[in-house]
Amino acid sequence: MIFEFCYHITLIYNEYSNNIAKRIGHYTQLPEGWAVCRLEQITNYEQPTAYIVNSTTYDDSYSTPVLTAGKSFIIGYTNETAGIYSNLPCIIFDDFTTDSKKVNFPFKVKSSAMKILKIHTDIEVDYVAMFMSITKLVGGTHKRYWISEYSKLEIPIPPKAEQKRIVYTVREIFTQLNEIMESL
């Protein structure tokens, strides 16, 4: 059931990109206790300016990771000790590609082309991170997406216990898929 729901959500967002409640006839009647919220209603964002590295001379022997929200994620390590982000967990969001990653360790960033997102305490960070990982906006322009579009996306929010159950189940499924892939 949960896998089917996640699969359908992925298909819907790939097809329609946003406004889930209006696009999906069979999901307009959410289960009791569920709500539909815009991402901007359940997140606070911070510009990363205070956490940008002063030097891009990275070395694997240094202790603080330098992040980008893009595919490479950790682009190196710095020995800088000031301006390290530590209000964790959080989600970093690439403002141009709409890639995102959950982060649960202190870090610095390479550039201001991302947002640091804090999820409200009554919402599971992992639930939102999973939703964001399957929700991409595709555009032909080089623009910042968070404020203008991505934060307006709607997300179905179940009660917290159900959020935890969904996260656990999705992780279990991916663990099983990884085991299958390794055995091939």
Side-chain angles (χ1 to χ4, degrees), residues 60-71:
D60 287 345
S61 68
Y62 298 153
S63 60
T64 304
V66 179
L67 305 184
T68 178
K71 303 259 185 273

Side-chain angles (χ1 to χ4, degrees), residues 7 12 15 31 102 108 115 133 145 153 165 169:
Y7 174 74
I12 289 157
E15 174 101 14
K102 178 188 167 204
K108 289 189 68 77
K115 300 284 188 277
S133 74
Y145 281 95
L153 294 179
R165 192 175 77 79
T169 303

Side-chain angles (χ1 to χ4, degrees), residues 58-60 62 64-67 72-78 108:
Y58 307 132
D59 191 301
D60 287 345
Y62 298 153
T64 304
V66 179
L67 305 184
S72 52
F73 188 47
I74 297 176
I75 57 174
Y77 294 85
T78 183
K108 289 189 68 77

Side-chain angles (χ1 to χ4, degrees), residues 11 24 42 47 61 99 104-105 126 145 171-174:
L11 291 177
I24 318 165
I42 61 167
Q47 296 286 4
S61 68
D99 284 336
N104 58 6
F105 51 83
D126 289 321
Y145 281 95
R171 284 186 179 150
E172 287 294 308
I173 290 168
F174 278 107

Side-chain angles (χ1 to χ4, degrees), residues 48-113:
T49 310
Y51 313 106
I52 296 174
V53 288
N54 295 314
S55 168
T56 56
T57 306
Y58 307 132
D59 191 301
D60 287 345
S61 68
Y62 298 153
S63 60
T64 304
V66 179
L67 305 184
T68 178
K71 303 259 185 273
S72 52
F73 188 47
I74 297 176
I75 57 174
Y77 294 85
T78 183
N79 61 354
E80 296 176 24
T81 57
I84 296 173
Y85 187 85
S86 59
N87 187 9
L88 304 166
C90 68
I91 296 173
I92 57 172
F93 175 84
D94 187 308
D95 231 357
F96 296 112
T97 67
T98 72
D99 284 336
S100 61
K101 303 265 192 300
K102 178 188 167 204
V103 182
N104 58 6
F105 51 83
F107 62 90
K108 289 189 68 77
V109 300
K110 181 180 186 286
S111 75
S112 64

Side-chain angles (χ1 to χ4, degrees), residues 1 36 51 56 66 121 138 148 163 172 180:
M1 170 78 172
V36 174
Y51 313 106
T56 56
V66 179
T121 56
V138 179
S148 65
Q163 292 172 45
E172 287 294 308
I180 291 168

Side-chain angles (χ1 to χ4, degrees), residues 13-14 17 96-98 135-141 143 145 149-150 153:
Y13 268 94
N14 287 339
S17 80
F96 296 112
T97 67
T98 72
T135 308
K136 303 290 181 217
L137 293 179
V138 179
T141 62
K143 69 176 187 175
Y145 281 95
E149 294 182 39
Y150 203 93
L153 294 179

